[in-house]
Every structure is written in structure tokens, then in C-alpha cells.
Amino acid sequence: MLVAAAVCPCPPLLVPELAAGAAPELDTARAACTDALGVLAAARPDRLVVVGPADESGHWTYAQGTAGSFRGFGVDVDVRLGRAAAGQETLPEPSRGPLPASLAVAAWLLERTGWADAPIEGLAVEPLTVERCIEIGRDIAARSERVALLVMGDASACRTLKAPGYLDERAEPFDASVARALGKADMAALKTLDIQLAHDLKASGRAPWQILAGAAEQADLSGTLLYDDAPYGVGYLVATWS
């Protein structure tokens, strides 16, 4: 059963070496992510499942200890999805390649906070249907008596003229609706997010958020919104369910 969840954004710019001189602009977001991971640790889970958007089409699983890197973004920073330790249960080796960007950011956050509280599994997903997301979430929740979720994904990328997706007037109200749903642990609101609108607004977190909604169906969790802003014209949200 799901006992806690943390929702974090997944821009590689969270890694200070990549952001360089602009790194302080995301200090508040980093601090919120650290606080969110603290909630996961406090829940004392038997297993941590990290879910994020895939870099390509597919549905890929990643074992504890899988390597990732930000070298493709021009910085010499390598990460691993937790420590590969003898006797720890892991998933099979990934179907292809290193960690996708979203899970590499998660791995960096976990390393930064010294995560050692439970074995880790990684899952990267393409923009699946709502029904498939719910199904995956239910399966995750059934894997252990005490499961925690780290859900990676950004809100819209269309909040300003300089945003990656340019300005779209629908972006701000969409992000506000997601922030309310995450802050209230509102599973119904997450399940009814408009798939086409999320696609148009380049909201990479849509499928991971709906996986969270499926995983939380049998849990009695309360939500807290820790961070809600749009630096660089992209909506970044940090929330906890516990």
C-alpha cells in the first residue's frame, strides 16, 4: 500500500553544475524537494518507486544502482539510482541505456539527501492513457506493504513568451488546477486531467501524476503543496502526500 508520495519537478537545471551562474534561482525549489524527500523517509517505506517521463516512447524499468549522467547537457556529473547493495531486491536490468533525464534528476536528489531508507525501483513512462496510468499505479501500490512514490514531472512549459513552448493562455489555469489537486491529494482531479491539453502545454508530469492517483486509491493520505512557481516559463510543483 502507498504510505507516502513526493512530487518534484525534473528539469536538469536543478543540478547546480548545469545551471552554473543561474543556480541560485532554483535554490527554493531544491530546498522544497529536500523537504519532500524527508517526508518519504519519515514514512519508513519498504520500497521506493521513482516514476518519471521517458525520454522516448516506451515503458522502461530501471534497477537500483542504474547509472545516469548529465554529460549530454555539458556537465561532468554522473549519478546512480541508489546504491547497488548485496541482498537488496532490484528490478531486472533496464531494457535499454542509462537513466532518462527525469530519473537522473531523481537520482541526483536522492544522492543529495543521502537516501538509504529503502530499496529503489525506477520507472520511466511515455504519455500513457489515463486507464493505463491508473493500472500501473495500482500495481505499484500492491508490490509491498509500505510503498513510497517519488513522482517526477513538470507542469506546463508555456507560461511566458520565452518559455520552451511559447506563451499559451491556458497554461496558468492548467498549472493552478494541478497545484490544487496535488495540494489536496485530490485523486479524482488528477485522473480527469485533459490529456490533449497537457500534451499541448508540454506538461511532462501528466502521466506520472495519474500513476500517483492510481497508487493512492486505497490509501488515506493528505496533501501539502510545498512549491509552486514558473521560473523560465515552466511550471514547477513540489508536493507531498502522507
Side-chain angles (χ1 to χ4, degrees):
M1 178 177 288
L2 186 70
V3 295
V7 177
C8 294
C10 58
L13 285 173
L14 279 178
V15 179
E17 292 89 341
L18 198 153
E25 295 178 17
L26 291 180
D27 279 348
T28 304
R30 293 186 194 96
C33 290
T34 297
D35 291 343
L37 292 184
V39 171
L40 296 187
R44 302 178 67 85
D46 300 321
R47 181 186 305 269
L48 173 65
V49 181
V50 183
V51 180
D55 288 344
E56 55 189 301
S57 296
H59 175 178
W60 310 105
T61 57
Y62 295 85
Q64 177 161 314
T66 300
S69 175
F70 295 99
R71 295 174 188 269
F73 296 95
V75 295
D76 187 15
V77 176
D78 298 318
V79 293
R80 286 191 177 275
L81 191 64
R83 304 182 185 93
Q88 285 187 331
E89 183 181 352
T90 63
L91 288 173
E93 286 303 310
S95 300
R96 62 168 67 179
L99 295 173
S102 65
L103 297 193
V105 173
W108 180 82
L109 289 171
L110 290 164
E111 286 186 0
R112 182 171 182 258
T113 56
W115 179 270
D117 297 273
I120 303 173
E121 304 176 4
L123 175 63
V125 296
E126 63 182 335
L128 304 167
T129 65
V130 177
E131 294 75 17
R132 182 62 179 135
C133 289
I134 301 305
E135 180 183 351
I136 291 172
R138 290 170 178 163
D139 177 68
I140 289 172
R143 292 181 189 175
S144 293
E145 289 187 7
R146 300 183 64 80
V147 178
L149 264 177
L150 174 53
V151 182
M152 307 299 294
D154 299 338
S156 73
C158 303
R159 292 280 292 271
T160 66
L161 292 173
K162 294 183 178 181
Y166 197 64
L167 176 64
D168 190 314
E169 294 180 354
R170 300 171 296 173
E172 189 168 351
F174 174 85
D175 289 355
S177 68
V178 174
R180 283 193 299 271
L182 293 175
K184 295 180 178 179
D186 189 339
M187 293 173 282
L190 292 179
K191 289 178 180 180
T192 56
L193 289 175
D194 188 316
I195 292 181
Q196 186 58 54
L197 178 59
H199 177 268
D200 292 348
L201 298 176
K202 304 183 185 302
S204 67
R206 193 274 305 171
W209 298 330
Q210 291 182 325
I211 288 173
L212 167 60
E217 284 181 338
Q218 302 302 315
D220 182 16
L221 304 177
S222 298
T224 302
L225 187 66
L226 302 178
Y227 181 85
D228 176 7
D229 204 352
Y232 317 117
V234 181
Y236 296 153
L237 301 168
V238 180
T240 58
W241 291 16
S242 62

